[in-house]
Amino acid sequence: MINETMYGLGSKSSVIRELFAYGLERKKVVGEDKVYDFSLGNPSIPAPHEVKDALLKLLEEPAEVLHSYSPASGDPKAKQMLAESVNRRFETHFSGDNFYMTVGAAASLNISIHAITNPGDEFITFAPFFPEYTVWVENAGAKLLITPADTESFQIDFEAFEKLLSPKTKGIIINSPNNPSGVVYSEDTIIKLSKVLCKKEKEYGHTIYLIADEPYREIVYDGLNVPYIPKYYNDTFVCYSYSKSLSLPGERIGYIIVPDEMADSKRVMAAVNGAGRALGFVCAPVLFQKAVAMCADVPSDIEAYARNKDLLYNGLTRLGYDCVRPQGAFYLFVKSPEKSGDAGEFSERAKKHDVLVVPSDSFGCPGYVRISYCVAEKTILDSLPVFKAIMEELKA
Ligand code: PLP
């Protein structure tokens, strides 16, 4: 007998993966440039040259240094370099000891959730949200509750959120800049969230952890400030990844920060080490631990994303599509223009025109589609007449 839950997870692909696979097949039939695939969040900008420079330099090191195990939580020097970079940028005072190196944000979240979960615990997140949260929270033996989206502002609907809080609440998962809405939670939102959680911690007499999922932190437009959450709320795990900021998704590299200010931080860090051990997430790829440490201050190259965002947002808005104004990440969240308002129906209609957009139902916010604009600029330019034809078809 196999584990049926795991069978279920492994035998069904996500809607996103299904669309992507369909796109690959369809391209073979009609041609690469005739399919407008906006399904995946795979960075289209190459990693900055500093990454290659760092790797070439590292390859000069003796193989036994380069390919050896690091300590389970990561290379001490790399962790210290990363801590110093974070301190320079966010006026924090971390040391390498506050860091646990991981294979990307997926591992950062899994480890953090496992480190704090006991049977019967609940986590809360805010729609729209990254669908894998449900898988990760349930795999740790907890339950994920969803705060419905505030579709006016895509900030937090605090009235709805407070109704979900209870003595069972162990953690809150927050993602900003947000996949899929592209919105950044404002400083006001973070201050309000912190106040609500501090009040509830006192009321329930236990810690409520805030898990900040931050792979898009550096991808923001118009100089917008993304509040650094540990500065507002002590009991925060920072779950970071270089998948998007340095365009290194396949290298699987990221980290967790457990700040000293967190309640019982030493015990929590020990539990993070324990969860990493239990899950087999130890000793993240050493070459890339060292490479990202050397590139810690390299800014993300977001020019191309910013251009794509403007082209798509302005282009679609002009055609009559109702789009959420993106502030960060590389996704445009667009209201389904179908009479029914159904996202699946619009995704299917677009698919018939070889435009692949992801219906929002699995993000916990029905009635929208997500358009990933981490694609070639030409794909966006060529797709606009097709989006126009789709709109005309809808109006006919
Ligand atoms: N969290 C969010 C919101 C994401 O969009 C992604 C990837 O797309 C992840 C986590 C996982 O990131 P990683 O590839 O670093 O594991």
Side-chain angles (χ1 to χ4, degrees):
M1 284 283 278
I2 56 167
N3 180 307
E4 288 302 322
T5 308
M6 295 302 145
Y7 175 76
L9 288 173
S11 55
K12 274 189 255 117
S13 347
S14 69
V15 186
I16 302 174
R17 289 275 157 193
E18 262 174 32
L19 268 174
F20 178 66
Y22 170 84
L24 291 180
E25 287 307 309
R26 184 72 185 148
K27 280 177 183 173
K28 286 185 203 157
V29 179
V30 295
E32 282 278 330
D33 59 339
K34 296 287 183 302
V35 179
Y36 311 100
D37 182 359
F38 297 108
S39 61
L40 272 194
N42 208 2
S44 52
I45 290 173
H49 72 85
E50 287 88 343
V51 173
K52 187 174 174 188
D53 296 346
L55 290 171
L56 289 173
K57 199 161 172 208
L58 284 165
L59 289 175
E60 297 300 322
E61 284 194 21
E64 65 275 18
V65 174
L66 205 52
H67 303 304
S68 301
Y69 285 121
S70 71
S73 68
D75 176 68
K77 190 168 158 217
K79 292 198 298 177
Q80 187 58 34
M81 286 163 78
L82 292 173
E84 284 165 15
S85 167
V86 171
N87 293 344
R88 272 193 296 280
R89 285 184 295 142
F90 305 115
E91 295 170 353
T92 46
H93 50 271
F94 299 127
S95 80
D97 293 341
N98 298 108
F99 280 62
Y100 187 98
M101 300 305 296
T102 66
V103 283
S108 302
L109 274 121
N110 262 297
I111 294 172
S112 304
I113 293 166
H114 271 266
I116 56 179
T117 298
N118 289 304
D121 284 347
E122 290 180 353
F123 286 77
I124 305 174
T125 196
F126 307 99
F129 67 100
F130 189 56
E132 295 301 288
Y133 294 166
T134 311
V135 178
W136 300 336
V137 166
E138 288 180 359
N139 187 48
K143 193 170 162 195
L144 184 67
L145 308 182
I146 315 297
T147 311
D150 168 356
T151 51
E152 284 299 309
S153 65
F154 284 92
Q155 297 287 318
I156 291 175
D157 177 344
F158 278 95
E159 213 183 304
F161 170 58
E162 290 197 42
K163 282 191 193 136
L164 298 180
L165 284 159
S166 83
K168 290 185 189 166
T169 309
K170 178 53 68 75
I172 313 298
I173 307 177
I174 187 170
N175 168 226
S176 173
N178 183 266
N179 171 10
S181 74
V183 164
V184 170
Y185 291 130
S186 68
E187 186 176 35
D188 280 355
T189 296
I190 300 301
I191 291 173
K192 203 164 168 194
L193 178 62
S194 163
K195 279 192 180 145
V196 170
L197 295 181
C198 287
K199 193 177 101 198
K200 291 292 173 184
E201 281 191 328
K202 282 206 190 87
E203 188 182 324
Y204 303 150
H206 66 73
T207 307
I208 301 176
Y209 299 95
L210 188 51
I211 299 182
D213 180 18
E214 308 226 310
Y216 301 98
R217 159 162 290 281
E218 273 75 30
I219 304 177
V220 276
Y221 307 111
D222 309 317
L224 198 76
N225 171 42
V226 184
Y228 200 67
I229 300 182
K231 296 178 75 169
Y232 298 85
Y233 187 68
N234 288 344
D235 297 318
T236 299
F237 287 91
V238 177
C239 291
Y240 189 76
S241 157
Y242 291 91
S243 295
K244 319 287 174 173
S245 59
L246 290 183
S247 295
L248 295 172
E251 304 305 345
R252 315 305 302 135
I253 191 75
Y255 61 72
I256 301 168
I257 300 177
V258 175
D260 287 339
E261 290 77 8
M262 183 184 277
D264 253 345
S265 67
K266 292 272 177 300
R267 274 174 59 79
V268 176
M269 193 39 132
V272 162
N273 276 269
R277 178 180 171 192
L279 293 164
F281 285 148
V282 290
C283 178
V286 172
L287 178 60
F288 275 89
Q289 289 189 46
K290 292 178 196 251
V292 295
M294 287 164 74
C295 298
D297 290 333
V298 174
S300 301
D301 172 12
I302 57 165
E303 280 305 300
Y305 296 145
R307 266 200 314 278
N308 282 0
K309 167 195 69 102
D310 290 339
L311 274 175
L312 197 63
Y313 176 80
N314 296 334
L316 292 191
T317 305
R318 237 180 266 127
L319 291 171
Y321 290 91
D322 185 353
C323 311
V324 178
R325 183 184 284 279
Q327 299 173 308
F330 37 53
Y331 306 104
L332 186 66
F333 211 45
V334 183
K335 206 164 182 181
S336 165
E338 296 289 338
K339 274 200 191 73
S340 64
D342 189 71
E345 202 177 323
F346 181 65
S347 173
E348 279 303 315
R349 183 188 296 277
K351 196 169 157 192
K352 291 197 182 104
H353 293 259
D354 290 320
V355 172
L356 308 183
V357 294
V358 179
S360 62
D361 303 61
S362 61
F363 299 111
C365 178
Y368 291 78
V369 291
R370 186 192 79 172
I371 305 184
S372 291
Y373 55 82
C374 46
V375 294
E377 188 175 326
K378 184 174 173 345
T379 307
I380 294 180
L381 287 170
D382 292 353
S383 73
L384 289 175
V386 188
F387 275 111
K388 184 166 185 247
I390 298 172
M391 192 48 113
E392 280 164 3
E393 182 182 292
L394 273 160
K395 284 185 183 154

